[in-house]
Amino acid sequence: MPRILVVNGSPHVYASSGWSVVEFLLAQIHVLWPTAEAVHRLLSAPEMILPSAAYATAVQDRAADDSPAFELSEILIGELESCDLLIIATPIHNFTVPAALKAWIDYVLRINRTFDATPTGKIGRLNDRPVFVVVTSGGFHQGERASQADFLSDYLRCALQTVGLKSIQFVYLQGMAYGEGAASLAINAGIERIRSLLPALLQQQERSRTGV
Ligand SMILES: Cc1cc2nc3c(=O)[nH]c(=O)nc-3n(C[C@H](O)[C@H](O)[C@H](O)COP(=O)(O)O)c2cc1C
């Protein structure tokens, strides 16, 4: 059964301003994969503690994968390894990813586990798979109305590529703080963007199913 991992970085969880777009994306994926199962990782849940000193030491000392300090990291990496498609739903917080998503990144990008450090750069160990990043923001950071820096997109792309995830598509829901009209325009634009991405996703699924 295909698995979809939904990593939800919003403190508002399912009341996120962009959740209806994530639901639309999930519904479309279910049309392509009727048997798909979605696993939701809520990054604001209490178990999502920040990386501890024990974790940092274990990373630095290259502790064994079964070290107790890696317990949460192993769970999160396992979720990522076993998914066929990843959705990251995240707001922009102060120009970049929220702290909870940064913590997730610190747990899943692990040297000698999800990537190797070589003299020519970091090489991911995971197989590529489709990744959709649905980004909500109060203001504008892309396009004609951009009025602030975007340190989220390139950073998140780089982090995901480090572990081997390269087929990444961003869906931006901008101007969510500009009132209901602006938010509904952003949501409609996000839905249109998803519609435009679906044919490529279908082709990618066909290629991986048939191997050609
Ligand atoms: C701590 C914090 C920092 C924020 N920083 C930014 C920012 O840098 N740029 C921006 O456009 N919006 C910023 N916002 C607004 C959120 O991105 C916006 O409200 C978004 O719609 C929240 O999405 P969510 O409902 O999915 O959490 C910030 C919000 C919070 C709470």
Side-chain angles (χ1 to χ4, degrees), residues 8-13 15-19 89-96 98 134-141 147-149 173-178:
N8 187 332
S10 170
H12 300 116
V13 194
S16 156
S17 55
W19 189 250
T90 181
I92 290 187
H93 279 179
N94 294 313
F95 315 109
T96 188
V134 179
V135 184
T136 44
S137 60
F140 295 86
H141 53 89
S147 58
Q148 61 184 313
L173 309 180
Q174 304 187 81
M176 304 304 273
Y178 284 69

Side-chain angles (χ1 to χ4, degrees), residues 35-58:
T35 60
E37 176 199 23
V39 173
H40 292 243
R41 170 54 66 181
L42 310 180
L43 299 186
S44 55
E47 66 271 20
M48 283 300 304
I49 51 169
L50 290 175
S52 62
Y55 178 72
T57 303

Side-chain angles (χ1 to χ4, degrees), residues 152-186:
L152 180 147
S153 305
D154 286 347
Y155 169 67
L156 196 49
R157 188 181 291 109
C158 174
L160 294 167
Q161 285 176 347
T162 298
V163 297
L165 305 183
K166 301 189 170 96
S167 303
I168 306 163
Q169 299 290 352
F170 284 86
V171 178
Y172 296 113
L173 309 180
Q174 304 187 81
M176 304 304 273
Y178 284 69
E180 269 180 38
S184 90
L185 278 178

